[in-house]
Amino acid sequence: MAMPANNAAAACGDHRADSSEEGYLTIRNIKLQRLPHLTDYLPSLETYPNPVDNNPFFHPVSEFYINPSDVVLRQILSDGFLSPGPHLAYHRAGPRKRIYFEPRGVRAAIVTCGGLCPGMNTVIRELVVGLWELYEVREIFGVRAGYRGFYSGEAVELNPKMVHGWHRKGGTVLETSRGGFDLDKIVNAIQDRGFNQVYIIGGDGTMRGMVEIFNEIKRRNLNIAVAGIPKTVDNDVGIIDRSFGFQTAVEMAQQAISAAHTEAESAVNGIGLVKLMGRSTGHIALHATLSSRDVDCCLIPENDFYLEGRGGLFEFLENRLKDNGHAVVVVAEGAGQDIIPKTDQSHVEEKDESGNPVFLDVGGWLKSELKNWWAMDHPKELFTVKYIDPTYMIRAVPANATDNLYCTLLAHSAIHGAMAGYTGFVCGPINGNYAYIPVEEVAHAKNVVNTRDHKWAWVRSITNQPDFGRG
Ligand SMILES: Nc1ncnc2c1ncn2[C@@H]1O[C@H](COP(=O)(O)OP(=O)(O)O)[C@@H](O)[C@H]1O
Ligand SMILES: O=P(O)(O)OC[C@H]1O[C@](O)(COP(=O)(O)O)[C@@H](O)[C@@H]1O
Ligand SMILES: [Mg+2]
């Protein structure tokens, strides 16, 4: 008998559900975020036993399966007096006892979109291996080169043998691209090719596209589950703890900082300047600064800065050079965009194919400003700026061990969710536990550095950098 898997009220017994505000279900002190499910618009879908039941490697015990009423709390820190509840929660990720797809009837498609990020190949590999080994799915396809690949070419058939060593490679074997989002063509192609599970690996832009795909599939009443796996080297996707590949990128960034430090230390009045990725968020710069300890000043898009006068960057560096003889500055690519003088050409904001702003080169500009400043103020003293821009080197690498494990759990969570009939969802860790989150929410939740919290205070206590008038 089919149990409406999404309906936590039914799962918990209706008497325990206190109210059902739109988008949420309040059960006692928990406000559970509603998760889209195929039965929302196809109410009479059949269910099947989970094939993991018969898998000789799992021997599932009763605790193995996740109940529809198992939740992950959004906030684990709260003031008991100020926030007595109800507390926002999401459905917990993991295998369900009954599933909504007959495994041999599944035709899965996997696509990667947007910029590279360490671990993309691991996610693809684990989707293929997980679908094959856990659920006995035999029709798995890789869509080539991003969203446009749905309608512009044939998908590649994948199996565990083919993807065996992919976790050791950087980039994405399926290839990726920006732009090329054509809703009708994409959904027509999904329908024509008979895909009934679509796994989308991408960042904030990709997730906004996924919302449209999911809504269109729903509008057409199609029995197709759409699952998202958030990918962003910038760590700018909200709600989840962090994105996969981010830690690997921070590790790579540290190598650039370490080289800048060596160069600066070995020169008279040496400045090591490192520009790091981070389109409009400074997470990579911040984490690389905190973990390296060699950084004297960290400039991020969330915190405006200025060069001249009291409390400015030049004054700070002057003191640092006097005290230490060298200094290291880390700047995120999106920082300082408002103070870089614009030429007539650069006045027109450039955009990439996906509509993301293309930034002016803050590193190159800062390097020349530093040289001009020193030449003006100390014409007779030696001075060196060594500028390092590792750009793609921090993201075009295989994932480290932690990220590889993380990618595996993400892929398996996505599979379990789609098999359970959930759709229009993204999976990710919240406070260390894997959850399913409606894609609509993830697509609009940006994760920026909070310069008012402890982490930023920690950066300032390590660097002693100025607050640039925010004090
Ligand atoms: N608002 C949007 N609606 C639909 N598709 C979008 C939207 N923004 C981006 N996309 C598509 O998502 C894909 C990846 O977007 P992009 O911003 O380049 O990377 P990321 O997803 O990593 O942020 C591209 O194919 C792009 O056309
Ligand atoms: O040159 P590309 O491939 O467009 O990528 C550059 C951008 O990609 C990023 O790594 C972010 O990419 P996503 O938005 O795809 O995650 C930024 O840090 C950087 O500005
Ligand atoms: Mg993005």
Side-chain angles (χ1 to χ4, degrees):
M1 171 32 211
M3 182 174 75
N6 185 43
N7 192 335
C12 306
D14 265 328
H15 60 284
R16 286 168 58 183
D18 302 331
S19 68
S20 187
E21 178 189 333
E22 198 182 353
Y24 300 96
L25 184 85
T26 305
I27 313 159
R28 300 203 173 153
N29 214 20
I30 302 290
K31 191 171 162 187
L32 181 61
Q33 175 63 281
R34 229 185 147 276
L35 195 60
H37 193 270
L38 290 169
T39 52
D40 294 346
Y41 58 94
L42 298 169
S44 46
L45 281 183
E46 258 191 77
T47 66
Y48 306 86
N50 195 320
V52 171
D53 276 345
N54 305 316
N55 189 313
F57 299 111
F58 284 97
H59 305 295
V61 288
S62 56
E63 294 82 8
F64 179 81
Y65 291 111
I66 304 293
N67 287 316
S69 52
D70 283 342
V71 301
V72 177
L73 291 181
R74 171 77 191 267
Q75 304 288 351
I76 50 170
L77 293 177
S78 76
D79 182 317
F81 289 115
L82 296 179
S83 19
H87 300 289
L88 180 58
Y90 296 95
H91 285 269
R92 187 171 163 209
R96 272 39 180 182
K97 196 149 180 53
R98 294 201 66 85
I99 58 172
Y100 280 76
F101 286 93
E102 206 267 305
R104 292 300 167 110
V106 171
R107 218 172 132 81
I110 303 167
V111 67
T112 50
C113 310
L116 293 188
C117 181
M120 285 166 101
N121 279 324
T122 313
V123 175
I124 303 166
R125 180 194 191 276
E126 296 306 330
L127 283 172
V128 174
V129 174
L131 281 163
W132 192 285
E133 305 286 352
L134 294 168
Y135 286 96
E136 299 162 16
V137 173
R138 292 294 177 264
E139 290 189 88
I140 310 166
F141 294 84
V143 173
R144 298 192 48 192
Y147 276 137
R148 52 166 49 83
F150 277 107
Y151 56 84
S152 65
E154 284 309 310
V156 203
E157 191 150 7
L158 303 169
N159 60 50
K161 241 190 183 148
M162 263 181 92
V163 302
H164 181 69
W166 286 17
H167 60 296
R168 285 190 276 272
K169 297 177 205 246
T172 160
V173 178
L174 295 182
E175 301 171 329
T176 186
S177 70
R178 298 194 189 274
F181 185 85
D182 186 321
L183 182 62
D184 262 351
K185 283 189 185 172
I186 293 170
V187 180
N188 290 346
I190 292 173
Q191 218 175 334
D192 293 348
R193 286 167 195 185
F195 297 137
N196 52 10
Q197 289 188 0
V198 180
Y199 294 92
I200 300 178
I201 305 161
D204 54 341
T206 306
M207 294 302 139
R208 286 192 286 274
M210 181 179 147
V211 171
E212 292 190 37
I213 294 172
F214 161 62
N215 284 332
E216 181 59 18
I217 284 176
K218 206 165 51 169
R219 199 188 62 77
R220 296 188 193 185
N221 272 321
L222 303 175
N223 185 13
I224 300 172
V226 194
I229 296 161
K231 167 251 34 141
T232 153
V233 74
D234 292 353
N235 197 29
D236 58 4
V237 170
I239 304 176
I240 60 171
D241 294 345
R242 69 181 153 81
S243 48
F244 73 79
F246 173 68
Q247 286 196 336
T248 306
V250 169
E251 242 170 71
M252 297 304 292
Q254 276 200 69
Q255 294 182 15
I257 294 174
S258 169
H261 182 241
T262 303
E263 289 285 346
E265 221 180 10
S266 309
V268 177
N269 294 320
I271 292 199
L273 173 63
V274 181
K275 182 173 90 168
L276 294 173
M277 278 190 175
R279 202 196 285 289
S280 44
T281 59
H283 295 288
I284 298 177
L286 181 152
H287 283 252
T289 295
L290 285 178
S291 44
S292 112
R293 313 282 167 125
D294 285 333
V295 179
D296 293 277
C297 187
C298 174
L299 303 169
I300 59 171
E302 292 87 342
N303 201 17
D304 291 342
F305 68 94
Y306 55 90
L307 302 180
E308 291 168 27
R310 261 193 89 186
L313 183 67
F314 292 159
E315 182 191 75
F316 170 71
L317 290 176
E318 171 120 34
N319 290 331
R320 269 299 146 106
L321 293 180
K322 221 181 268 166
D323 293 346
N324 292 345
H326 69 278
V328 175
V329 178
V330 165
V331 61
E333 62 173 335
Q337 294 298 310
D338 294 340
I339 56 169
I340 305 175
K342 297 190 173 53
T343 60
D344 284 350
Q345 257 187 346
S346 64
H347 224 73
V348 187
E349 201 184 62
E350 213 188 314
K351 302 250 171 162
D352 70 11
E353 272 194 281
S354 295
N356 298 305
V358 174
F359 289 133
L360 302 170
D361 178 13
V362 63
W365 167 76
L366 204 49
K367 176 183 173 184
S368 89
E369 290 295 313
L370 286 165
K371 285 187 159 181
N372 293 342
W373 157 63
W374 194 267
M376 288 279 285
D377 287 11
H378 309 275
K380 297 209 167 84
E381 288 179 54
L382 280 176
F383 180 71
T384 303
V385 184
K386 290 290 192 285
Y387 173 40
I388 299 178
D389 178 0
T391 62
Y392 302 110
M393 288 177 72
I394 69 164
R395 68 174 206 192
V397 291
N400 68 12
T402 313
D403 276 327
N404 259 326
L405 289 177
Y406 176 18
C407 290
T408 306
L409 293 174
L410 280 175
H412 288 195
S413 298
I415 296 170
H416 292 311
M419 280 291 177
Y422 291 119
T423 181
F425 73 92
V426 162
C427 49
I430 299 179
N431 300 313
N433 291 288
Y434 287 74
Y436 297 137
I437 312 155
V439 62
E440 188 117 37
E441 203 180 329
V442 175
H444 300 290
K446 203 165 171 56
N447 179 29
V448 294
V449 173
N450 179 0
T451 53
R452 306 181 76 84
D453 77 357
H454 295 92
K455 211 180 261 173
W456 186 247
W458 185 12
V459 168
R460 290 206 52 223
S461 72
I462 281 180
T463 59
N464 289 317
Q465 69 189 68
D467 65 1
F468 301 108
R470 289 172 70 97

